[in-house]
Structures are given as C-alpha cells and as structure tokens.
C-alpha cells in the first residue's frame, strides 16, 4: 500500500448505529487530518493531529470522535449520526510542524457515508 | 462572506481549449495558495502551489496569484479529456489550516 488509504470506501448506517472509519498513511508523516466534503460545499477541516496529539477541533459535534493511536493511523468513531452527516469523509496527512516551506497535505480516497 | 469564493461551474470546453479557473479570497493572512485536482471517487491531489504574487508554470498548467486583488487563477493549456475533474483552490492560514473553495467541475469534450 502506498500513500493514504481509507476503509471502508462506502458505509451506510442508521442513526442509532456505531461505526468507525479508518485511515492509514504510509508516508512517514507526523500530522493527520479529517475533512468532511458535502455536496455543493467546500471541504471542511474537522480535526488535526500532530504527533498523535489533537491540536485542532473545528467545533465538530461530539457524535464524531477521533482517535489517533500512532502517527500512521487515524480513526473516526461515529455514533447517533444525523442524515445531514451524510458526506465524503477524507483523511489527509502531512509532514507536520517544523516543515520548511508549505506543509503539503496528501489525501486518501475518502469514505462515502450515508446516514439513513 | 466566505473566506474563499470559487464558481462551482460546471464548466465545459472543447479539447485543446485554454481553461481559466479562478478564486477570490478575503483574508490577507493567507500565505500559500494551492490548486488541487479531484477525480470522481478519489481524494484531492495537489497540482501546484505558490507563495508570492506572480506566475508559476508546470507543463500545461500555470498558477497565477495577485495578492493585491486577492485573486488566484489556474490556466490549463491544450486541455485534454483526462483533465476533466473538479479543481479546488485552497489557501493556508496559519501553520496547517487549509481553507478550500467550493471547487469547479470541469469537463473537456473530445
């Protein structure tokens, strides 16, 4: 596997279900991100992790719970979601703090989430 | 007002045409300016980034930044059907906060 991978690629869940999205980066990066991409809206940054520590929570509802056990893996735990949470959830990684120049973010293919 | 404005299109042009994609922004704190390309069912991939005002060229792609007007552009020369995708402008505020435009869906017709 190369780059940033995400599983599952598609997920359908009911509002009472609990599910998790997984992201893995194979780039040796120290920063990982979750984004939400809804139809007709810009990508929205949700969370940022640097060296496994959460450094940004962009006012995300608590029904989304991130977990970063190490610099290569990132999870997004989902519970009691709403239909409006249906979107493409993208994971990204970058070198992280201390990078000279721009800290380029590399994206995974995303998980297409549908909440019924 | 959105921090970054981008016409969502769709934009449809014939093969070989020059394509111009644009974004405007309101926050003078933005430092780096990027263009991402996103194919259907894929994540965004970085095409180009620029820091200062002026032009940057990479093959058939030219990125242009005008900080005084808060306006950035991406030009595609000799457009190909394989260029059909959604193009996202993005800007960095602070260390890691990428702020995206809505994306412009582009179709190149053979």
């Amino acid at each position: 596997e190369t780059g940033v991978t995400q599983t599952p690629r598609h997920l359908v869940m009911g509002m009472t279900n609990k599910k998790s999205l997984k992201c893995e980066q194979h780039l040796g990066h120290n920063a990982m991100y979750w984004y939400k991409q809804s139809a007709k809206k810009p990508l929205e940054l949700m969370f940022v992790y640097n060296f496994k520590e959460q450094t940004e929570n962009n006012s995300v509802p608590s029904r989304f719970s991130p977990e970063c056990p190490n610099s290569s893996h990132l999870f997004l735990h989902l519970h009691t979601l709403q239909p409006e949470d249906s979107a493409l959830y993208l994971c990204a990684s970058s070198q992280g703090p201390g990078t000279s120049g721009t800290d380029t973010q590399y994206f995974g293919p995303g998980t297409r989430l549908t909440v019924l | 007002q959105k921090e970054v404005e981008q016409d969502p299109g769709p934009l449809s042009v014939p093969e070989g045409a020059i394509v111009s994609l644009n974004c405007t922004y309101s926050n003078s704190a933005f430092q780096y300016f990027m263009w991402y390309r996103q194919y259907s069912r894929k994540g965004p991939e970085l095409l180009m980034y620029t820091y200062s005002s002026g032009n940057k060229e990479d093959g058939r792609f030219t990125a242009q930044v005008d900080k005084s007007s808060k306006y950035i552009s991406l030009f595609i020369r000799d457009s190909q059907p394989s260029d059909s995708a959604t193009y996202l402008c993005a800007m960095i505020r602070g260390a890691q906060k990428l702020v995206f435009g809505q994306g412009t869906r582009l179709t190149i017709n053979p």
Side-chain angles (χ1 to χ4, degrees):
Chain A
E1 292 280 13
T2 59
V4 181
T5 58
Q6 290 187 244
T7 55
R9 294 294 309 275
H10 300 273
L11 178 63
V12 179
M13 61 186 288
M15 289 191 286
T16 58
N17 292 158
K18 289 185 181 181
K19 297 285 184 184
S20 296
L21 311 185
K22 179 184 175 182
C23 174
E24 184 172 358
Q25 59 96 0
H26 310 267
L27 300 168
H29 289 163
N30 298 307
M32 296 189 78
Y33 311 75
W34 279 117
Y35 286 86
K36 177 183 179 182
Q37 188 174 33
S38 305
K40 296 185 170 61
K41 291 178 72 175
L43 267 84
E44 300 171 63
L45 178 65
M46 300 174 72
F47 302 102
V48 180
Y49 277 83
N50 288 309
F51 301 99
K52 304 187 301 179
E53 299 298 320
Q54 187 182 120
T55 55
E56 181 91 23
N57 177 338
N58 201 22
S59 302
V60 180
S62 59
R63 58 186 183 269
F64 295 91
S65 176
E67 179 190 1
C68 189
N70 53 62
S71 291
S72 298
H73 293 86
L74 184 64
F75 295 88
L76 188 63
H77 303 300
L78 314 171
H79 63 98
T80 59
L81 294 192
Q82 306 298 312
E84 59 264 29
D85 296 322
S86 298
L88 182 68
Y89 288 86
L90 290 158
C91 173
S93 72
S94 70
Q95 293 274 24
T99 303
S100 62
T102 182
D103 188 21
T104 302
Q105 294 182 24
Y106 296 85
F107 286 81
T111 295
R112 174 71 61 189
L113 173 67
T114 302
V115 181
L116 301 176
Chain B
Q1 184 190 7
K2 294 179 187 174
E3 283 190 281
V4 180
E5 297 273 3
Q6 182 177 11
D7 186 341
L11 180 62
S12 182
V13 301
E15 184 177 354
I18 296 175
V19 177
S20 172
L21 304 167
N22 312 293
C23 289
T24 58
Y25 63 96
S26 58
N27 191 337
S28 299
F30 287 130
Q31 299 168 315
Y32 287 91
F33 304 88
M34 298 159 172
W35 286 96
Y36 280 82
R37 178 176 61 195
Q38 186 174 21
Y39 289 114
S40 181
R41 299 187 184 85
K42 300 273 181 122
E45 56 173 330
L46 182 66
L47 264 181
M48 299 181 70
Y49 74 87
T50 54
Y51 175 68
S52 56
S53 284
N55 294 352
K56 182 176 181 180
E57 196 172 310
D58 183 1
R60 297 184 294 110
F61 297 89
T62 299
Q64 191 174 78
V65 174
D66 182 346
K67 284 188 175 181
S68 62
S69 301
K70 297 189 178 68
Y71 189 88
I72 70 169
S73 300
L74 177 71
F75 298 97
I76 308 174
R77 289 186 301 281
D78 187 26
S79 55
Q80 306 294 311
S82 58
D83 296 327
S84 298
T86 296
Y87 289 80
L88 307 161
C89 64
M91 306 172 190
I92 287 186
R93 173 167 30 88
Q96 294 172 292
K97 287 204 77 170
L98 263 183
V99 180
F100 283 86
Q102 190 175 334
T104 300
R105 180 180 287 183
L106 172 67
T107 301
I108 310 296
N109 300 303

